[in-house]
């Protein structure tokens, strides 16, 4: 009679170990995903800042090239 509870106990122990292993793997994966998301957000912020600076610089260049409409060359079809 003692063998049946032991087999059930062993099966439960194996199941518990498997669940703990899966949980540890999921926690590890979640941490990696969280770090990847944080990196992507930081990269996105850097890209947005760079784009803002480039748009400002482009505006300055356009302004300096054509400050006076009279100094702007005529279109090529004239």
């Amino acid at each position: 009679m003692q063998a049946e509870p032991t087999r059930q106990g062993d099966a439960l122990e194996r199941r518990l170990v498997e669940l703990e292993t899966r949980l540890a793997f999921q926690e590890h994966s979640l941490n990696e995903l969280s770090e990847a998301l944080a990196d992507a957000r930081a990269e996105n912020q850097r890209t947005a800042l760079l784009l803002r600076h480039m748009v400002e610089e482009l505006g300055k260049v356009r302004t300096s090239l054509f400050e006076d409409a009279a100094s702007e060359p005529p279109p090529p079809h004239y």
Side-chain angles (χ1 to χ4, degrees):
M1 279 207 176
Q2 205 63 358
E4 186 63 32
T6 302
R7 276 192 273 168
Q8 285 180 347
D10 289 344
L12 287 174
E13 179 71 24
R14 283 192 304 272
R15 187 170 179 207
L16 180 60
V17 168
E18 182 181 341
L19 289 172
E20 288 175 340
T21 303
R22 287 182 183 183
L23 179 61
F25 177 76
Q26 288 177 351
E27 286 176 343
H28 178 72
S29 297
L30 186 60
N31 286 333
E32 286 182 339
L33 288 172
S34 180
E35 289 174 11
L37 180 59
D39 291 344
R41 285 180 174 166
E43 181 67 25
N44 187 36
Q45 287 177 344
R46 287 190 297 271
T47 303
L49 182 62
L50 179 62
L51 180 60
R52 235 178 285 129
H53 286 294
M54 291 177 71
V55 168
E56 289 174 7
E57 289 298 314
L58 179 61
K60 290 177 187 176
V61 168
R62 290 172 117 184
T63 301
S64 68
L65 285 175
F66 305 110
E67 287 180 359
D68 183 17
S71 67
E72 188 175 324
H77 63 278
Y78 282 109

